[in-house]
């Protein structure tokens, strides 16, 4: 007996839709049933109108077969900092309660033009910038956070509400919740997908990406978004793959779950015939405090300008984190910002060069399992530097921790090698996940 | 007898409004009269609703004196790639005919929160990215272009329709039309003003700024937008000022008008007791072709992603320039783009250092007077590199060319020295403009 539709990956559903074994309405009904049963616990959605979803599904069913897009009928959840023309975009902020832009963000416009069914809006922390807020729970344990700030996107995909969700990452807001909830995710190369129409926090770091339950689904999206490598992507068999295990300058933040996962990953890859090298960031990138300071200066200094409008319109309803950013409570100077921007830029070609010496880099995705409690959404310590380096990161949810919660690893490639990353990621994840369910 | 209201600078009008010598409705009526008389020739506006303007003006008049903002009642034209909640934003593209986002761009939200009267939308080339389009004319000669892509913003300010207009620059789209129409303009430090809610072309280059008829008006805006230098701004008298005259690697593009203007500027400054140095960009920044290539690779490669949505939605209505960008007709690789981004980033601290050795840099604003004809909007050759260096540029319309058309010079400072640039710009422009009317 086939699994219920909501359990299927986007690619599997797409085949059923293409063969007209199901239609979009049938599919949407099954997802809505799942959400009805589960969302009182998971609370992944900040806006979802079943009637509107079904009307959209009907309209998609009426498109003649020859005119259907490459994502025809696939349900997509959209993080609530990304504008949608037909739904509110409330940004996790009371200032934006009921707010609607009536114009799709670029990423949503491209999804819609490809035939996707824009399902609803998923929860976020305030402007992606705060580290608490929504009461979304981790589908694997309602006492635990799904991670932030793409909380709802991760939870909705992990809990089988939709097969695809749009996330946005400034520090670790895609990869960390993907790790905590056990789903695949791609944070593509910076600016490979236009951020137009998305709330800006730090324009040097902000990156849009996707959460799914399979790499094939990420591949589908990468093709729709015209992510193209310079070279044709080579199929690299396991025995010809070389992997750089990079524990990163933040390794001391790793908890027992992540330490065990990284060890197990190394062992599994070696057992599969992969050539494994344990590698460190070259100087001066190996200085944890410096890396952290650079990211913090840039994100805070850019966010200070990004949120000036909200501060001027009504600072009284902004959270203390956002107010502190605009008021520059950290006292960063412009010179701090310029120096940090220039230094970070000088690091990018170093990382690119390092990445090109191996098939892929393997690194931690988060410190450990998702923490208990909904207020602390975990640390982006293992993600922010990759975001600033502008390199693509693939989350592979291969492991579990001491409490049975998911633990992931990150696969990383050089800039604009997103297609290569997905291909080698598929090969390696088959080996890494051989034992997982 | 005082000049008519439409001839006054924003600062002058602000004083009259503050003292309640006039109200906003009186002011708006005078501007609308001016526009009625002139816009059939100048064609600066793509959207202007007199009734709506007057209603907004009435609402501003009803705000109690103590609650009025720092720009209370000042009329602002907004380039038609910048979203306004109450007016269409048509981006110079048939794809966006009648389009309205119903949400202000960040820059408009801040202006509105400061009490500005958002007057209407000014013409632009297609997405700021094409180099022809609107039939806007130069107020000094209707046979000549006002320059692009902020055509309408420059023409509206130069022709006394409004005292302030918002412009956007990727190459030279603020400074060049300001030079051609003879107005002041500030392209601030990159990212000093959030670009959120503006059509994205090239996110590494796109910068928002203002066109006005006085430096005092730019100062008013810089304060509202919280442009803050690290050090308190010093008043530098002419005899203590040091100016680096930088003809730039594009000097061979300079026509006789610009050559004469740069010579006259040097002479005027020397006569005023200013210490003048003639300086070149240090290697490797002195290679014109390399500089041009770097900018072109980045702008084209980023624009390729920025316009993918429009291409997917309806490529048939896009201009050939925009289609070529998305189709990557220039055949730039991702490696070209990464290398160009890294190289440009490595140049920024070099320019910063050079700028800090002098009170200010003086450079050409455009090749010459505005060309005859409306199709060719002139070249951004003297602007694009400053935009990519992220440094603030002030246009000073001090001179006239052989046909009596305006010719300007650019004053340039290091990153985040916008306030210093305005202060020294005021001192120097008094000397440079001593003979102009």
């Amino acid at each position: 007996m086939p699994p219920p539709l909501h359990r299927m990956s986007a690619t599997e559903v797409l085949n059923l839709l293409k063969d007209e074994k199901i239609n979009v309405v049938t599919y949407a009904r099954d997802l809505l049933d799942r959400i009805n049963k589960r969302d009182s616990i998971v609370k992944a959605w900040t806006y979802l109108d079943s009637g509107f979803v079904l009307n959209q599904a009907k309209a998609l069913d009426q498109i003649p077969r020859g005119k259907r897009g490459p994502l025809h009928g696939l349900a997509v959840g959209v993080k609530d900092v990304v504008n949608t023309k037909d739904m509110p975009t409330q940004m996790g902020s009371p200032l934006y309660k009921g707010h609607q832009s009536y114009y799709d963000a670029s990423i949503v416009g491209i999804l819609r033009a490809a035939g996707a069914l824009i399902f609803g809006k998923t929860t976020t922390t305030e402007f992606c910038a705060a580290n608490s807020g929504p009461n979304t729970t981790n589908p694997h344990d309602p006492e635990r956070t799904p991670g932030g700030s793409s909380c709802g996107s991760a939870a909705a995909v992990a809990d089988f509400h939709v097969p695809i969700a749009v996330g946005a990452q400034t520090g670790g807001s895609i990869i960390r919740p993907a790790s905590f909830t056990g789903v695949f995710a791609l944070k593509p190369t910076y600016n490979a997908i236009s951020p137009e129409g998305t709330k800006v926090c730090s324009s040097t770091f902000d990156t849009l990406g996707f959460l799914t339950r399979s790499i094939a689904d990420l591949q589908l999206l990468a093709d729709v978004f015209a992510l193209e490598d310079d070279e044709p992507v080579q199929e690299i068999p396991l025995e010809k793959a070389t992997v750089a295990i990079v524990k990163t300058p933040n390794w001391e933040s790793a908890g027992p779950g992540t330490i065990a996962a990284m060890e197990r990953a190394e062992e599994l890859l070696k057992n599969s015939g992969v050539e494994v090298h344990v590698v460190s960031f070259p100087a001066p990138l190996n200085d944890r405090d410096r890396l952290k300071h650079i990211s913090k200066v840039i994100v805070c200094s850019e966010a200070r300008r990004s949120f000036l409008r909200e501060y001027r319109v009504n600072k009284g309803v902004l959270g203390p984190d956002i107010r502190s950013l605009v008021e520059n409570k950290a006292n960063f100077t412009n010179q701090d910002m310029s120096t940090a921007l220039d230094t970070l830029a000088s690091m990018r070609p170093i990382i690119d060069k390092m990445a090109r010496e191996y098939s892929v880099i393997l690194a931690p995705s988060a410190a450990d399992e998702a923490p208990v409690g909904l207020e602390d959404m975990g640390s982006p310590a293992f993600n922010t530097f990759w975001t600033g380096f502008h390199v693509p990161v693939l989350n592979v949810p291969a492991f579990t921790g001491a409490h049975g919660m998911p633990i992931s690893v990150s696969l990383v490639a050089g800039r604009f090698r997103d297609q290569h990353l997905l291909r080698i990621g598929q090969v390696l994840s088959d080996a890494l996940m051989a034992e997982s369910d």
Side-chain angles (χ1 to χ4, degrees), chain A residues 97-295:
Chain A
K97 195 169 160 58
H99 168 71
Q100 188 163 337
S101 99
Y102 296 96
Y103 186 56
D104 284 336
S106 184
I107 193 171
V108 175
I110 291 170
L111 287 167
R112 221 188 276 271
L117 171 60
I118 306 301
F119 219 75
K121 304 303 279 283
T122 55
T123 57
T124 175
T125 67
E126 187 182 14
F127 305 127
C128 304
N131 199 29
S132 62
N135 55 357
T136 308
T137 64
N138 193 310
H140 300 275
D141 178 354
E143 302 296 312
R144 290 174 190 261
T145 178
S149 64
S150 305
C151 333
S153 288
V157 171
D159 203 44
F160 306 102
H161 301 185
V162 281
I164 298 169
V166 170
Q169 170 154 325
T170 300
S173 287
I174 293 173
I175 299 298
R176 179 179 27 140
S179 181
F180 285 174
T181 60
V183 299
F184 288 93
L186 177 67
K187 180 206 84 61
T189 301
Y190 173 77
N191 236 345
I193 296 176
S194 171
E196 193 183 289
T198 306
K199 182 78 191 109
V200 178
C201 173
S202 161
S203 57
T204 299
F205 280 76
D206 295 351
T207 309
L208 291 170
F210 297 103
L211 302 97
T212 65
R213 293 187 303 270
S214 86
I215 294 181
D217 290 358
L218 293 173
Q219 181 71 58
L220 194 63
L221 292 157
D223 294 343
V224 165
F225 281 85
L227 304 190
E228 287 165 15
D229 295 8
D230 281 338
E231 299 102 28
V233 176
Q234 305 286 328
E235 195 66 51
I236 303 175
L238 282 169
E239 60 278 10
K240 290 199 175 165
T242 57
V243 172
I245 296 199
V246 180
K247 292 180 179 168
T248 87
N250 283 308
W251 184 240
E252 66 185 49
S253 311
T258 289
I259 293 171
M262 289 292 286
E263 281 168 3
R264 186 73 187 124
E266 184 174 348
E267 192 177 20
L268 285 166
L269 293 177
K270 281 179 175 166
N271 292 347
S272 306
V274 174
E275 188 181 312
V276 174
H277 302 254
V278 178
V279 177
S280 297
F281 282 176
L285 285 66
N286 56 353
D287 180 336
R288 186 195 63 161
D289 293 341
R290 188 166 182 230
L291 270 188
K292 187 176 172 182
H293 180 72
I294 286 170
S295 301

Side-chain angles (χ1 to χ4, degrees), chain A residues 310-384:
Chain A
E310 287 75 17
Y311 189 88
R312 288 288 170 76
V313 169
N314 189 352
K315 71 178 170 186
V317 299
L318 297 179
D321 290 356
I322 308 295
R323 280 205 306 273
S324 297
L325 285 166
V326 179
E327 291 165 0
N328 188 22
K329 285 284 164 66
N331 267 317
F332 294 129
T333 65
N334 296 319
Q335 188 59 54
D336 293 337
M337 182 187 183
S338 298
T339 303
L341 283 165
D342 298 342
T343 307
L344 184 59
S346 74
M347 292 174 169
R348 290 189 194 115
I350 299 172
I351 288 293
D352 261 4
K353 184 167 172 292
M354 177 179 162
R356 285 194 167 265
E357 290 168 10
Y358 308 93
S359 306
V360 81
I361 291 168
L362 186 143
S365 282
D368 210 317
E369 294 170 304
V372 173
L374 301 184
E375 277 308 301
D376 173 15
M377 297 196 158
S379 156
F382 284 107
N383 317 112
T384 306

